[in-house]
């Protein structure tokens, strides 16, 4: 690597030769044991999580997502492999560089201890052809691999990493952080892909679903004209995911007996003000109505609706999941 290795130099860890990384990681755990306490007892990994940082990722973002992944591994023990390419490195003859990192969390008792480990692999674009072979040596044997690419600069560059698409059990992408849509990436099995923009909306979906569950399906779906979502640009990816969820639910409703179906439209509008509060509206050909305003600054959702009777309203606590919780939702429940 060159002397300016970017994010690789900023991430924590002890630099070691790539070929000796796993042995050095084992020695690190042995050195940490001390006083007869063996951290290895608390290292029962369930998976390997590959965090792949793209060229659009800043140093601050890299540190934030790295910390979130470590927090995730505290609840779901795993080996974390972080990949970071050095941009403008086609002419470099340097090989790969590696850091090892380990950390233990101690709860109220010794039984509450959990440990995590990470291998940070820096590579030049010239050494990129050896990346998959090296990662295959780092993954935990016989355990599932999950892949989290983050802040890539183009769908074409991400599409070049077919090895991870094929070998991973699930692929997580955060469309709110990328410049492209999921369908622009060449992924052979799209059933593996889960969008973190959708995962972080779990509390919002639960809130809306709980409110609507009090009304008959026929009243909610019949004579529906349009579903309109208006928000600032910062909610665009989440808004797209929310409309998709509502569309799937409504299509299921339209197939129910007794529902008077119409050609309902779904539209998303972005206003110039970035901090615009997301507003979801159902319009009907009859006198029914539904409106949901998501005020994330106040952590509140205000919902008002009328389905064949008097208007009913509720104000509920709601917020989007943080990255750690969104990872759990996307990997295991999405």
């Amino acid at each position: 690597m060159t002397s300016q290795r970017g994010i690789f130099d900023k991430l924590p860890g002890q630099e070691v030769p790539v070929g000796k990384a796993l042995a050095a990681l084992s020695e690190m755990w042995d050195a940490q044991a001390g006083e007869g306490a063996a951290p290895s007892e608390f290292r029962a990994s369930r998976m390997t999580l590959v965090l792949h940082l793209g060229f659009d990722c800043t140093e601050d973002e890299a540190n934030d997502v790295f910390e979130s992944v470590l927090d995730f591994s505290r609840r779901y023990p795993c080996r974390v492999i972080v990949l970071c390419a050095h941009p403008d490195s086609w002419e470099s003859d340097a090989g790969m560089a590696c850091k090892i990192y380990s950390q233990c969390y101690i709860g109220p008792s010794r039984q509450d201890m959990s440990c995590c480990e990470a291998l940070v692999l820096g590579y030049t674009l010239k050494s990129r052809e050896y990346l998959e072979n090296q990662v295959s040596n780092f993954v935990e044997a016989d355990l599932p691999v999950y892949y989290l690419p983050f802040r890539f600069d183009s769908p074409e560059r991400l599409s070049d990493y077919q090895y991870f698409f094929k070998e991973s059990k699930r692929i997580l992408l955060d469309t709110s952080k990328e410049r492209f849509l999921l369908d622009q990436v060449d992924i052979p099995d799209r059933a593996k892909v889960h969008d973190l923009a959708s995962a972080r909306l779990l509390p919002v979906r639960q809130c809306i679903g709980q409110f609507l569950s009090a009304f008959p399906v026929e009243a909610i779906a019949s004579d529906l004209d349009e579903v309109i979502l208006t928000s600032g640009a910062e909610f665009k990816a989440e808004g797209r995911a929310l409309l998709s969820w509502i569309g799937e639910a409504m299509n299921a409703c339209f197939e129910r007996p007794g529902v008077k179906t119409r050609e309902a439209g779904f539209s998303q509008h972005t206003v110039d003000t970035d901090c615009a509060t997301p507003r979801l509206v159902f319009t009907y050909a009859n006198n029914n109505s539904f409106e949901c305003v998501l005020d994330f600054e106040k952590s509140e959702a205000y919902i008002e609706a009328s389905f064949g009777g008097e208007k009913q309203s509720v104000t509920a606590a709601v917020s989007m999941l943080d990255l750690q919780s969104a990872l759990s939702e996307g990997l295991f429940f999405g």
Side-chain angles (χ1 to χ4, degrees):
M1 300 287 284
T2 65
S3 60
Q4 300 297 323
R5 298 182 295 184
I7 287 174
F8 176 83
D9 282 336
K10 301 299 180 181
L11 291 177
Q14 172 188 334
E15 188 162 351
V16 297
V18 176
K20 298 181 179 179
L22 293 178
L25 188 62
S26 179
E27 292 174 2
M28 178 180 286
W29 284 115
D30 292 339
Q32 286 184 351
E35 299 183 359
S40 58
E41 296 176 6
F42 305 94
R43 293 169 54 215
S45 291
R46 303 180 189 178
M47 71 197 85
T48 298
L49 177 58
V50 179
L51 169 62
H52 199 164
L53 302 176
F55 291 159
D56 276 352
C57 187
T58 67
E59 292 176 3
D60 289 341
E61 287 175 327
N63 278 300
D64 288 345
V65 70
F66 182 70
E67 289 297 328
S68 294
V69 166
L70 290 182
D71 288 342
F72 167 84
S73 71
R74 182 178 178 182
R75 183 176 179 183
Y76 301 97
C78 60
R79 170 174 291 170
V80 177
I81 300 175
V82 185
L83 309 179
C84 39
H86 174 55
D88 304 322
S89 55
W90 284 109
E91 304 304 321
S92 174
D93 291 324
M96 297 180 180
C98 185
K99 289 180 179 179
I100 56 174
Y101 178 85
S102 63
Q103 189 176 62
C104 287
Y105 304 90
I106 302 176
S109 68
R110 187 170 179 270
Q111 275 59 43
D112 294 323
M113 179 183 290
S114 63
C115 299
C116 64
E117 60 186 24
L119 296 118
V120 182
L121 190 63
Y123 64 99
T124 63
L125 294 176
K126 192 171 182 178
S127 64
R128 183 257 173 278
E129 61 181 306
Y130 307 109
L131 182 65
E132 286 85 350
N133 287 337
Q134 187 56 60
V135 171
S136 68
N137 293 327
F138 282 172
V139 300
E140 295 269 45
D142 302 321
L143 292 179
V145 176
Y146 296 90
Y147 183 49
L148 172 59
F150 185 80
R151 297 283 283 159
F152 269 69
D153 59 328
S154 73
E156 293 80 16
R157 195 182 297 277
L158 179 55
S159 296
D160 186 50
Y161 294 93
Q162 290 294 314
Y163 166 84
F164 298 108
F165 295 152
K166 295 175 182 177
E167 296 298 320
S168 299
K169 182 176 181 180
R170 281 202 176 187
I171 302 158
L172 291 180
L173 273 167
D174 191 344
T175 55
S176 70
K177 302 294 185 182
E178 307 296 346
R179 302 187 203 175
F180 47 83
L181 301 177
L182 290 178
D183 58 9
Q184 294 178 271
V185 184
D186 179 16
I187 301 176
D189 185 359
R190 294 195 171 273
K192 292 182 178 182
V193 184
H194 295 264
D195 190 353
L196 288 178
S198 176
R200 66 169 59 92
L201 285 174
L202 175 63
V204 175
R205 298 196 302 269
Q206 290 175 331
C207 179
I208 294 174
Q210 184 176 10
F211 180 88
L212 290 176
S213 67
F215 302 95
V217 171
E218 294 78 11
I220 299 171
S222 292
D223 293 324
L224 177 65
D225 266 340
E226 190 172 12
V227 178
I228 306 169
L229 177 68
T230 304
S231 72
E234 86 290 345
F235 193 73
K236 187 173 183 179
E238 287 81 2
R240 187 166 51 241
L242 183 57
L243 277 181
S244 176
W245 172 72
I246 293 172
E248 291 175 2
M250 284 301 177
N251 285 335
C253 292
F254 292 154
E255 298 176 358
R256 296 276 295 269
V259 174
K260 293 185 293 181
T261 60
R262 298 176 61 88
E263 293 295 327
F266 294 82
S267 60
Q268 183 176 8
H269 305 280
T270 303
V271 298
D272 293 336
T273 306
D274 286 342
C275 60
T277 303
R279 181 171 176 263
L280 179 68
V281 176
F282 295 6
T283 64
Y284 290 85
N286 53 33
N287 292 324
N288 290 347
S289 63
F290 173 86
E291 179 179 4
C292 175
V293 178
L294 300 169
D295 191 337
F296 292 115
E297 288 189 2
K298 295 182 179 179
S299 299
E300 290 181 347
Y302 177 76
I303 305 177
E304 182 178 87
S306 174
F307 294 108
E310 294 184 359
K311 283 190 176 182
Q312 299 187 39
S313 62
V314 65
T315 300
V318 71
S319 61
M320 289 191 287
L321 298 180
D322 59 20
L323 179 55
Q324 176 192 349
S325 300
L327 284 172
S328 303
E329 170 66 15
L331 286 176
F332 306 123
F333 308 109

